[in-house]
Amino acid sequence: MDLNLLTVGTVVTFLLILTRLSGMLVSSPLFSGQSIPAQIKIAIAIGLTLTLFPLHAAAKSYHAPDNLIQLSALLAQEFVIGLCIGFTADLIFAGIRMAGEFIGFQMGLSISNLLDPQSGTVMPLMGQLLYIFAFMAFLSLNIHHGLIVAVDRSFSWLPIGNGLTRLDLLFERFLHFGAEMFGLALALALPVIGILFIAEIALAFVAKVMPQMNIFMVALPLKVALGLLLISLSAPFLHGYLSDQYAGLIQNLLGLYQRVS
């Protein structure tokens, strides 16, 4: 190893690439989970930095900082760039959790919550079920590789040290991604909610025809069983739908920083 390569510029460049990757790891659906030890996350970040450093170190467009304030500003900028990549990927899982909350509310399971080991937060039961299914599809389709490719592509749109000059364009894209998140939640939840709503109307007619029946004792287990049956029957179609959504996610990630500098 040539020690002459260990200049201030190369060390700072390595730290900036590492910081951008760390921002992605902190907010991405897979790597941000609490089930992954911090040592493993650090090892992944350093390993990916060693891979990307020879590819992008020559494309730097900044001067080595003269003081700690300038260095801190550059590091914060790179961390935010990586953070936005991971946040964009996590939006699709937010939509899936939202769909689970809608379905659980219609099934009468809105009061049953579970601790999510990934995020360490409390999540509704049906939201957790859909999240696990979507997460397994995420891994089986190797979408987590797309996150790494997105960080690599971000260096083409935003070389090391470049600032975000078109924040309005980036904000507009996040608004679009947020709208897609709500659309995903509605698309996943509406078929099940619609059938459960029809079943609830049918139970209301039964209660009118047979007032001696305790409809509340029948409705809750029936709606739960019907909801689980509908989710089971729709699982193959759900996998195909999520595959299309993940393909769109990759395109969003690769073009996230296009023309923003």
Side-chain angles (χ1 to χ4, degrees), residues 182-196:
F182 285 104
L184 170 64
L186 291 175
L188 290 177
L190 275 180
V192 179
I193 291 177
I195 296 176
L196 289 175

Side-chain angles (χ1 to χ4, degrees), residues 8 12 16 62-72 74:
V8 174
V12 171
L16 293 176
Y62 70 97
H63 299 289
D66 299 328
N67 52 63
L68 187 58
I69 296 177
Q70 295 179 1
L71 177 61
S72 300
L74 284 175

Side-chain angles (χ1 to χ4, degrees), residues 172-208:
E172 181 181 340
R173 287 173 182 168
F174 275 116
L175 287 178
H176 176 68
F177 299 156
E180 288 183 343
M181 177 194 72
F182 285 104
L184 170 64
L186 291 175
L188 290 177
L190 275 180
V192 179
I193 291 177
I195 296 176
L196 289 175
F197 183 71
I198 294 173
E200 197 162 353
I201 294 176
L203 288 171
F205 279 109
V206 172
K208 279 290 186 181

Side-chain angles (χ1 to χ4, degrees), residues 123-233:
M123 184 183 298
L125 178 63
M126 296 310 300
Q128 179 78 335
L129 177 63
L130 290 182
Y131 177 82
I132 292 174
F133 184 88
F135 193 74
M136 296 303 295
F138 183 86
L139 293 177
S140 65
L141 295 171
N142 292 324
I143 306 301
H144 54 293
H145 295 169
L147 292 171
I148 302 172
V149 175
V151 176
D152 177 70
R153 180 66 63 86
S154 70
F155 288 106
S156 300
W157 301 119
L158 278 175
I160 304 169
N162 266 31
L164 296 169
T165 57
R166 292 293 307 277
L167 289 177
D168 57 332
L169 183 58
L170 186 62
F171 183 70
E172 181 181 340
R173 287 173 182 168
F174 275 116
L175 287 178
H176 176 68
F177 299 156
E180 288 183 343
M181 177 194 72
F182 285 104
L184 170 64
L186 291 175
L188 290 177
L190 275 180
V192 179
I193 291 177
I195 296 176
L196 289 175
F197 183 71
I198 294 173
E200 197 162 353
I201 294 176
L203 288 171
F205 279 109
V206 172
K208 279 290 186 181
V209 175
M210 303 175 62
Q212 67 272 21
M213 176 186 289
N214 191 346
I215 198 65
F216 294 103
M217 296 297 295
V218 177
L220 181 58
L222 180 62
K223 289 169 63 177
V224 171
L226 181 59
L228 292 176
L229 176 63
L230 291 171
I231 292 175
S232 301
L233 293 176

